[in-house]
Amino acid sequence: MAKIKKDTNLRKSILQAAITGQLISNVEGETKTGKELLDKIIEERNAKLLAQWEEAKKKNPKAKKPAPIVASEITEDEIPFEIPKSWCWCRLGDIGDFLRGSGIKREETRLEGYPCIRYGEMYTKYKTVIKDTVSFVEKEIFDKCQKIKTNDIVMSLTGENEYDIALAAVYLGEKVVAMGGDMTRFRPCLINSLFYVYAINSPYGIKCKSQLATGNIIVHISNDKLSSILIPLPPLAVQNAIVAKLEEVLPLVYAYENAVLQKEELKTALPDKVKKAILQEAIQGKLTKSWRKTATIEESGKQLLDRIIEERNAKLLAQWEEAKKKNPKAKKPAPIVASEITEDEIPFEIPKSWCWCRLSNLCNIYTGNSINETEKKLKYTNIKDGWVYIGTKDVGFDQTINYDNGIKIPFEKDTFRIAPKNTVLMCIEGGSAGRKIAFTNQDVCFGNKLCCFNPYKYEVEKFLFYFLQSTVFIDAFKDNINGIIGGVSINKIKEMLFPLPPLAEQEKIVEIIEQMLPLCEKLGG
């Protein structure tokens, strides 16, 4: 299931409703119109321009008189949606002015000093409202930079995608702030800055910016293009009322998003977490704690281990006796003994009837044979009789094996290693190492990145299968991964510890696990 993104459909709908006049009804007592506000804004901006010109003339009598600002022409074809009658359309450049920042290098920032904002921080450090900065510069740098003041809208002119480009925030701090490069500040006139932050960040605002932005990997937008964006202008009292409503509603939306996200993450993670918990309880003997109180245990884990080793030694001697018939000088094999295990190695306490051993004491562990793609096609495709050849790709993350891959090894090719029926295959190299594991239902040949765990005593194979999926084993496996490709050596795996219960208890544990795991999978439904 897809995760909730930082901009949910609910939040988008609310912001879109805000800028189309659908979030609130008419504000009681409001008699002004957006058009009257726009006229007043332009009048105010022109008065400011003239005042600046008069001031400039004191230093330079030839200073050129500025051209008056006039409201932009807007055709019917440009209007993207209907707005209330008391509102009007304008361009961002009609209601304020843009100013681009100057570069502040990362190495020029300090933990204290004069406040500054760099463009990258717009995506990582700040949200809709900025009151305090996280970066500072020395006075020399500060004095060279363009400045951000209270109620200025701050935007980044560079981003990694069309969504982020010119993402807006309003500065409501008291101190003057230095502005870094690839940024712009929009200084609005006689409007509610926060309303226009919401408008710029609305789905409509994002669409406008993405259509004007250029670039693929790195996206850019200019002040001129931002100035040209068509934007609704409600009366000021309406802007204030919409902002008040958004500040009331959006925290509830964020809380809802977080709750939904946590629920979805929990729903996705819950089956896996419960499975891990069940397997951990199983390999520690906790699932069968009550069973042991009434069960008659005829052979302990230690006795089972001794019997396995005794049978292995008997088999080695029999093979040696057979070898002597062909070669009287055949060397007698050294007897197998249980591996020593120190107290420091033991990861957790197990029942008294269990014992610790190493995986090499319990099963034969080996990898398969490598076959390149050319060989597969020329020699081992369309073979009628033979062992199915299982590669890493044929083992699924869902513990299934694809036996119908079309690749077989003829029976006469007895140099190929076999993973017998009812043994475990696990990937031990590459990105799937430790993550792909399956239980065979027939004899198969297999690839060199797969490892076969072939028990010396077949009654333990299912308990072994579940142990190899436990957190204890997986953590130990991960701790031993090395190399460029990433894998664990056979020798390392052989040395890993295994908690060995009596056979009867293994059977009971497997029975309980196989009753519980199907129920566990339903938790995610």
PDB file of all heavy atoms in Angstrom, residues 6 22 32 93 118 354 392 482 492:
ATOM      1  N   LYS A   6       3.621  13.932   1.652  1.00  0.00           N
ATOM      2  CA  LYS A   6       3.556  15.112   2.496  1.00  0.00           C
ATOM      3  C   LYS A   6       2.424  16.043   2.100  1.00  0.00           C
ATOM      4  O   LYS A   6       2.027  16.913   2.842  1.00  0.00           O
ATOM      5  CB  LYS A   6       4.896  15.846   2.494  1.00  0.00           C
ATOM      6  CG  LYS A   6       5.301  16.458   1.163  1.00  0.00           C
ATOM      7  CD  LYS A   6       6.618  17.186   1.340  1.00  0.00           C
ATOM      8  CE  LYS A   6       7.094  17.786   0.028  1.00  0.00           C
ATOM      9  NZ  LYS A   6       8.368  18.486   0.176  1.00  0.00           N
ATOM     10  N   GLN A  22     -14.191  28.998  -1.713  1.00  0.00           N
ATOM     11  CA  GLN A  22     -15.173  28.008  -1.269  1.00  0.00           C
ATOM     12  C   GLN A  22     -14.978  27.578   0.190  1.00  0.00           C
ATOM     13  O   GLN A  22     -15.788  26.836   0.730  1.00  0.00           O
ATOM     14  CB  GLN A  22     -15.084  26.767  -2.164  1.00  0.00           C
ATOM     15  CG  GLN A  22     -15.400  27.058  -3.619  1.00  0.00           C
ATOM     16  CD  GLN A  22     -15.145  25.845  -4.503  1.00  0.00           C
ATOM     17  OE1 GLN A  22     -15.606  24.755  -4.206  1.00  0.00           O
ATOM     18  NE2 GLN A  22     -14.403  26.049  -5.577  1.00  0.00           N
ATOM     19  N   LYS A  32     -15.750  46.161   1.090  1.00  0.00           N
ATOM     20  CA  LYS A  32     -14.720  46.426   0.089  1.00  0.00           C
ATOM     21  C   LYS A  32     -14.674  45.278  -0.912  1.00  0.00           C
ATOM     22  O   LYS A  32     -15.105  44.158  -0.646  1.00  0.00           O
ATOM     23  CB  LYS A  32     -13.355  46.573   0.758  1.00  0.00           C
ATOM     24  CG  LYS A  32     -13.279  47.676   1.803  1.00  0.00           C
ATOM     25  CD  LYS A  32     -13.301  49.056   1.168  1.00  0.00           C
ATOM     26  CE  LYS A  32     -13.101  50.145   2.219  1.00  0.00           C
ATOM     27  NZ  LYS A  32     -13.148  51.497   1.632  1.00  0.00           N
ATOM     28  N   GLY A  93       2.989  40.197  -9.586  1.00  0.00           N
ATOM     29  CA  GLY A  93       3.785  41.414  -9.746  1.00  0.00           C
ATOM     30  C   GLY A  93       2.993  42.692  -9.524  1.00  0.00           C
ATOM     31  O   GLY A  93       3.570  43.765  -9.333  1.00  0.00           O
ATOM     32  N   ARG A 118      19.519  30.298   3.664  1.00  0.00           N
ATOM     33  CA  ARG A 118      20.048  29.792   2.398  1.00  0.00           C
ATOM     34  C   ARG A 118      18.974  28.974   1.693  1.00  0.00           C
ATOM     35  O   ARG A 118      18.120  28.368   2.347  1.00  0.00           O
ATOM     36  CB  ARG A 118      21.294  28.935   2.628  1.00  0.00           C
ATOM     37  CG  ARG A 118      22.427  29.712   3.294  1.00  0.00           C
ATOM     38  CD  ARG A 118      23.629  28.836   3.582  1.00  0.00           C
ATOM     39  NE  ARG A 118      24.273  28.386   2.352  1.00  0.00           N
ATOM     40  CZ  ARG A 118      24.284  27.123   1.922  1.00  0.00           C
ATOM     41  NH1 ARG A 118      23.697  26.172   2.634  1.00  0.00           N
ATOM     42  NH2 ARG A 118      24.886  26.798   0.811  1.00  0.00           N
ATOM     43  N   TRP A 354      17.115 -28.177  26.399  1.00  0.00           N
ATOM     44  CA  TRP A 354      17.692 -27.812  25.110  1.00  0.00           C
ATOM     45  C   TRP A 354      19.214 -27.735  25.258  1.00  0.00           C
ATOM     46  O   TRP A 354      19.745 -27.811  26.370  1.00  0.00           O
ATOM     47  CB  TRP A 354      17.189 -26.439  24.656  1.00  0.00           C
ATOM     48  CG  TRP A 354      15.734 -26.340  24.346  1.00  0.00           C
ATOM     49  CD1 TRP A 354      14.718 -27.070  24.886  1.00  0.00           C
ATOM     50  CD2 TRP A 354      15.130 -25.411  23.440  1.00  0.00           C
ATOM     51  NE1 TRP A 354      13.515 -26.671  24.384  1.00  0.00           N
ATOM     52  CE2 TRP A 354      13.734 -25.647  23.482  1.00  0.00           C
ATOM     53  CE3 TRP A 354      15.610 -24.419  22.611  1.00  0.00           C
ATOM     54  CZ2 TRP A 354      12.829 -24.918  22.716  1.00  0.00           C
ATOM     55  CZ3 TRP A 354      14.716 -23.686  21.850  1.00  0.00           C
ATOM     56  CH2 TRP A 354      13.338 -23.931  21.899  1.00  0.00           C
ATOM     57  N   THR A 392      19.146 -17.935  -7.969  1.00  0.00           N
ATOM     58  CA  THR A 392      18.657 -16.975  -6.968  1.00  0.00           C
ATOM     59  C   THR A 392      17.327 -16.359  -7.389  1.00  0.00           C
ATOM     60  O   THR A 392      16.418 -16.191  -6.572  1.00  0.00           O
ATOM     61  CB  THR A 392      19.694 -15.850  -6.754  1.00  0.00           C
ATOM     62  OG1 THR A 392      20.939 -16.443  -6.386  1.00  0.00           O
ATOM     63  CG2 THR A 392      19.257 -14.900  -5.667  1.00  0.00           C
ATOM     64  N   ASN A 482      30.211  -9.143   4.253  1.00  0.00           N
ATOM     65  CA  ASN A 482      31.360  -8.343   3.833  1.00  0.00           C
ATOM     66  C   ASN A 482      31.564  -8.487   2.333  1.00  0.00           C
ATOM     67  O   ASN A 482      30.824  -9.206   1.663  1.00  0.00           O
ATOM     68  CB  ASN A 482      32.632  -8.749   4.599  1.00  0.00           C
ATOM     69  CG  ASN A 482      32.943 -10.229   4.456  1.00  0.00           C
ATOM     70  OD1 ASN A 482      32.775 -10.812   3.385  1.00  0.00           O
ATOM     71  ND2 ASN A 482      33.400 -10.851   5.536  1.00  0.00           N
ATOM     72  N   LYS A 492      31.661 -18.812   8.047  1.00  0.00           N
ATOM     73  CA  LYS A 492      31.021 -17.973   9.055  1.00  0.00           C
ATOM     74  C   LYS A 492      29.661 -18.544   9.448  1.00  0.00           C
ATOM     75  O   LYS A 492      29.287 -18.550  10.623  1.00  0.00           O
ATOM     76  CB  LYS A 492      30.848 -16.544   8.526  1.00  0.00           C
ATOM     77  CG  LYS A 492      32.144 -15.765   8.357  1.00  0.00           C
ATOM     78  CD  LYS A 492      32.698 -15.329   9.701  1.00  0.00           C
ATOM     79  CE  LYS A 492      33.895 -14.401   9.523  1.00  0.00           C
ATOM     80  NZ  LYS A 492      34.506 -14.034  10.821  1.00  0.00           N
TER      81      LYS A 492
END
